[in-house]
Amino acid sequence: AQKITQTQPGMFVQEKEAVTLDCTYDTSDQSYGLFWYKQPSSGEMIFLIYQGSYDEQNATEGRYSLNFQKARKSANLVISASQLGDSAMYFCAMRENNQGGKLIFGQGTELSVKP
Amino acid sequence: GAGVSQTPSNKVTEKGKYVELRCDPISGHTALYWYRQSLGQGPEFLIYFQGTGAADDSGLPNDRFFAVRPEGSVSTLKIQRTERGDSAVYLCASSLTRWLAGGAEYEQFFGPGTRLTVL
C-alpha cells in the first residue's frame, strides 16, 4: 500500500502568490515524522521542513509552513510569496519511528513559478 | 562544513559488469542511508547503516546489491551483474543518530547522487 500520496504531478503559481502542495500519508504508528524536500533540476535534495507526529503546532520555516492535519493524515506544504527560484520538484516523505530512520517518499509535485 | 559527497557523479557501464558507488557522509553522522531514484519517481529506500552495521537492508532489490560501511564512515554500494533496470540516480544521505531528541536532528542530508547508466 502506498504510504505517501502526492496527487498533484504538476502545479503552476504566479510569482509572489502562495501555493499549497498536497500530501497524504498512511501509517498505523503513533510516532512518526513528516518531511518536505525540494529537488531542483540540479538534482540535489534540499530539506525544507519537518513535523513530528506529536507536535501540536504546525511547523514553519521562513516562507514554508506545514499544514498538519493529523486526523485526516495530511501534511500539506504551503509556500508563501513564491519566487522564481522555487520552481523545482517537491517531495513529501515520512519516517515511521519504529522502522529506523528510513524515509518513504511520495511521487513528487513539480512546481513551476510564473513571472 | 563539507556536505555529503558521492563519487563518481556519473557512471556508465555495460550490462553484466560490476560497479561500486561511494558515499562520504558528513563527519560525525553515525547514520547513513542509500536510496535509488528512477526517472520521474521519488527516492526509494535501499539500506540504512547505524555505525558499521546495516540496521535495515529491506530495500535492497535482490542479492546483486550489497553495501558496506567497514569503519562507520565511508560507505560503498556494490552492484554485481548490472542490468539495464539498475539505471537510476543513487542517492546517499547521512544524519545524526536517531536517538537524539527533536526534529531537526533527524534531518537527512543528501549527497548530489551518482547517475548510473547501464547500457
Side-chain angles (χ1 to χ4, degrees):
Chain A
Q2 192 166 0
K3 293 206 171 188
I4 296 285
T5 303
Q6 294 181 253
T7 58
Q8 306 151 315
M11 289 281 286
F12 288 92
V13 65
Q14 203 69 37
E15 193 179 8
K16 300 180 185 177
E17 298 288 314
V19 63
T20 298
L21 306 184
D22 294 342
C23 173
T24 57
Y25 60 92
D26 183 26
T27 182
S28 56
D29 286 356
Q30 298 301 308
S31 179
Y32 52 89
L34 296 157
F35 301 75
W36 278 92
Y37 282 84
K38 172 183 178 182
Q39 189 176 43
S41 57
S42 57
E44 62 196 299
M45 293 287 283
I46 302 168
F47 166 76
L48 296 178
I49 197 166
Y50 165 83
Q51 179 87 40
S53 58
Y54 290 115
D55 294 340
E56 294 189 353
Q57 290 197 326
N58 287 344
T60 60
E61 288 287 347
R63 294 188 298 111
Y64 304 108
S65 59
L66 200 152
N67 184 1
F68 181 45
Q69 298 188 42
K70 195 170 181 177
R72 296 181 59 190
K73 294 188 175 176
S74 75
N76 299 340
L77 176 71
V78 180
I79 305 174
S80 62
S82 296
Q83 301 172 357
L84 296 178
D86 293 336
S87 294
M89 285 292 290
Y90 288 81
F91 291 98
C92 179
M94 176 175 67
R95 183 197 69 233
E96 293 171 314
N97 289 347
N98 70 352
Q99 295 292 321
K102 69 182 180 186
L103 294 176
I104 302 165
F105 286 85
Q107 298 283 77
T109 295
E110 183 171 10
L111 177 66
S112 298
V113 181
K114 295 179 167 180
Chain B
V4 178
S5 62
Q6 292 186 246
T7 54
S9 55
N10 278 285
K11 176 70 176 178
V12 180
T13 191
E14 293 180 344
K15 180 175 178 294
K17 298 288 189 184
Y18 167 83
V19 297
E20 290 190 351
L21 311 179
R22 176 188 167 109
C23 172
D24 204 334
I26 292 172
S27 178
H29 280 191
T30 56
L32 185 146
Y33 311 81
W34 284 99
Y35 295 87
R36 178 168 71 174
Q37 187 174 24
S38 300
L39 193 63
Q41 305 291 318
E44 290 180 290
F45 168 77
L46 295 176
I47 187 169
Y48 153 54
F49 288 90
Q50 187 65 253
T52 60
D56 183 353
D57 64 358
S58 62
L60 295 176
N62 51 60
D63 61 6
R64 295 186 298 105
F65 288 75
F66 188 71
V68 295
R69 195 185 184 200
E71 297 178 357
S73 178
V74 171
S75 176
T76 305
L77 178 66
K78 308 179 180 193
I79 310 174
Q80 298 177 321
R81 304 182 305 279
T82 51
E83 299 177 358
R84 292 193 180 89
D86 298 335
S87 296
V89 175
Y90 289 80
L91 295 167
C92 176
S94 71
S95 74
L96 293 169
T97 176
R98 67 187 289 268
W99 301 112
L100 291 177
E105 285 81 358
Y106 293 96
E107 174 190 344
Q108 292 184 21
F109 294 85
F110 282 79
T114 293
R115 182 175 299 278
L116 175 65
T117 303
V118 182
L119 301 177

